[in-house]
């Protein structure tokens, strides 16, 4: 708790005001829409990401016909939406935690609005998966392990860094990409609603951490750099999609052995693109270049440093208007 009720952080106060008037109700989405699996199948980018598996003569699933591929595309969407759902629950829990641990009253006010936002996001993804598809895939080790690591770290700013910058930054890029491709009207509208909240969430992370990080020394900053790097590695591995291949009767081990052997440039480019929102925000926080650019070197190895010139959350979220 804090006993200092002085409203001294004007930008956080502004974000809080915006959040209060931007609330929406999950019930207002057109839930009566019949979801057409073919439209949903056509809404993803799995065809491009896994084209190699369809075309290459040595592919272990070369025998798949149009029916298997359509099922695969629907299931890839269902897997992605399931991971969104689990990530949203992580965000719900983390922002509850941040409401308790953040030291400033303006941040507590704002974080409380985000708890409500995240509850709504869990609600809409759960409802879509259960009413329109066959329910959710279970959490996997990479995303589950990352969410656990974020919740269990005792330092209040690590909850922010892990959730508001890393997980939410990835979600912002992933939602935007799915929204762009989506031809299924209910999903498209659902994503538009969710995205209208997420840009504000990343801005909250940048605004809060900026103040703290400005006052940290090199050793403390290195710990934050390492935390960000480990989160990035886990986020990169969060989809292995083995459960989808297995469901359609393929051997996931054979599929991944084939993919490892044949460099899949489409998939790599897609995975890198998901970091397009994370890298500019790490830069804004000074994490890329602290300590002789340790994190810059790691992000170069991961093939994601090219996004450093992109817009950060404070550029993207209009705090003035
Ligand atoms: Fe969310
Ligand atoms: Fe969020």
């Amino acid at each position: 708790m804090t006993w200092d009720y002085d409203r001294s952080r004007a930008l956080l106060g502004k974000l809080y005001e915006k959040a209060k008037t931007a609330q929406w109700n999950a019930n207002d989405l057109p839930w009566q829409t019949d979801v057409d699996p073919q439209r949903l199948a056509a809404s993803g980018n799995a065809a491009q990401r896994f084209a190699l598996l369809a075309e290459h003569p040595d592919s272990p699933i070369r025998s798949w016909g149009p029916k298997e591929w359509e099922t695969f595309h629907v299931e890839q969407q269902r897997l992605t939406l399931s991971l969104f759902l689990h990530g949203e629950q992580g965000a719900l829990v983390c922002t509850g935690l941040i409401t308790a641990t953040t030291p400033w009253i303006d941040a507590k006010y704002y974080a409380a609005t985000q708890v409500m936002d995240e509850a709504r996001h869990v609600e809409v993804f759960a409802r879509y998966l259960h009413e329109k598809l066959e329910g959710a895939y279970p959490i996997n080790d990479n995303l589950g392990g990352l969410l656990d690591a974020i919740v269990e770290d005792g330092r209040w700013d690590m909850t922010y860094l892990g959730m508001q910058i890393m997980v939410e930054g990835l979600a912002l890029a992933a939602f935007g990409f799915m929204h762009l491709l989506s031809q299924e009207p209910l999903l498209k509208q659902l994503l538009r609603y969710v995205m209208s909240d997420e840009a504000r969430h990343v801005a909250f992370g940048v605004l809060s951490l900026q103040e703290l990080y400005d006052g940290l020394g090199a050793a403390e900053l290195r710990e934050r750099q390492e935390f960000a790097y480990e989160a990035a590695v886990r986020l990169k591995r969060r989809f292995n999609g083995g459960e989808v291949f297995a469901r359609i009767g393929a051997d996931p081990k054979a599929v991944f052995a084939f993919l490892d052997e044949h460099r899949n440039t489409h998939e790599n480019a897609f995975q890198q693109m998901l970091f397009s929102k994370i890298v500019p925000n790490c830069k804004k926080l000074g994490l890329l270049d602290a300590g002789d650019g340790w994190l810059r070197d790691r992000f170069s190895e991961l093939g994601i440093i090219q996004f450093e010139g992109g817009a950060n959350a404070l550029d993207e979220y209009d705090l003035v208007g």
Side-chain angles (χ1 to χ4, degrees):
M1 285 174 238
T2 172
W3 310 117
D4 178 3
Y5 297 98
D6 186 24
R7 303 293 303 272
S8 55
R9 288 170 178 81
L11 289 176
L12 285 176
K14 188 119 196 178
L15 213 56
Y16 175 53
E17 291 304 318
K18 285 190 167 247
K20 283 192 286 185
T21 55
Q23 297 289 312
W24 47 275
N25 188 337
N27 293 338
D28 295 340
L29 283 165
W31 290 107
Q32 71 286 357
T33 308
D34 278 326
V35 170
D36 174 359
Q38 277 184 329
R39 276 186 119 170
L40 186 67
S43 296
N45 64 336
Q48 189 195 41
R49 284 168 60 195
F50 298 104
L52 196 64
L53 283 165
E55 291 158 7
H56 199 284
D58 299 333
S59 162
I61 54 172
R62 189 77 173 89
S63 62
W64 278 13
K67 199 172 157 10
E68 282 87 357
W69 280 108
E70 190 194 307
T71 308
F72 177 75
H73 292 146
V74 172
E75 290 298 307
Q76 274 292 334
Q77 293 286 79
R78 188 161 78 87
L79 175 69
T80 304
L81 291 168
S82 302
L83 295 179
F84 288 173
L85 168 68
H86 302 315
E88 292 291 356
Q89 196 203 155
L92 171 64
V93 168
C94 283
T95 45
L97 206 56
I98 288 173
T99 307
T101 58
T102 192
W104 315 301
I105 196 69
D106 286 302
K108 287 184 189 291
Y109 287 158
Y110 175 79
T113 68
Q114 195 180 327
V115 174
M116 186 58 224
D117 291 349
E118 305 299 2
R120 210 165 41 225
H121 299 174
V122 176
E123 181 188 356
V124 294
F125 283 116
R127 188 164 172 187
Y128 190 89
L129 280 157
H130 288 95
E131 281 185 18
K132 306 299 179 184
L133 301 172
E134 289 173 53
Y137 276 92
I139 185 79
N140 65 35
D141 290 346
N142 284 310
L143 183 60
L146 174 60
L147 295 176
D148 284 345
I150 294 170
V151 169
E152 284 162 12
D153 195 294
R155 295 162 291 186
W156 66 264
D157 70 291
M158 294 301 200
T159 324
Y160 269 101
L161 178 59
M163 179 50 65
Q164 307 292 124
I165 305 297
M166 302 302 292
V167 177
E168 299 243 51
L170 186 119
L172 202 54
F175 293 165
F177 203 69
M178 191 185 264
H179 177 259
L180 188 74
L181 295 178
S182 184
Q183 298 171 34
E184 197 289 287
L186 175 58
L187 179 60
K188 202 171 178 81
Q189 191 163 346
L190 183 160
L191 288 167
R192 191 164 54 239
Y193 275 43
V194 171
M195 284 163 64
S196 70
D197 296 330
E198 297 296 0
R200 191 169 60 242
H201 298 175
V202 183
F204 173 53
V206 175
L207 265 183
S208 305
L209 290 180
Q210 225 176 6
E211 175 172 345
L212 178 79
Y213 287 3
D214 282 347
L216 291 187
E220 289 163 312
L221 278 173
R222 170 58 77 82
E223 287 174 5
R224 274 75 190 168
Q225 291 177 307
E226 287 172 358
F227 192 88
Y229 172 64
E230 279 155 27
V233 169
R234 277 182 153 135
L235 284 171
K236 228 179 164 185
R237 291 195 200 120
R238 83 216 171 284
F239 287 113
N240 59 27
E243 50 272 64
V244 172
F245 291 108
R247 194 182 158 94
I248 312 174
D251 173 7
K253 276 197 186 127
V255 170
F256 290 116
F258 170 84
L259 287 175
D260 284 343
E261 194 181 326
H262 300 83
R263 216 177 117 73
N264 190 351
T265 47
H266 284 306
E267 175 68 353
N268 290 345
F270 171 67
Q271 292 298 338
Q272 287 167 357
M273 185 281 304
L274 293 177
F275 288 84
S276 57
K277 305 283 180 186
I278 290 177
V279 183
N281 289 312
C282 286
K283 182 172 184 166
K284 178 79 179 168
L285 290 171
L287 287 179
L288 285 189
D289 291 307
D292 297 331
W294 185 87
L295 190 60
R296 170 180 297 282
D297 294 343
R298 299 291 86 69
F299 279 3
S300 299
E301 289 160 11
L302 290 177
I304 57 175
I305 196 67
Q306 66 273 24
F307 300 114
E308 67 165 310
N312 65 61
L314 298 188
D315 296 338
E316 270 183 336
Y317 192 80
D318 177 19
L319 274 166
V320 183

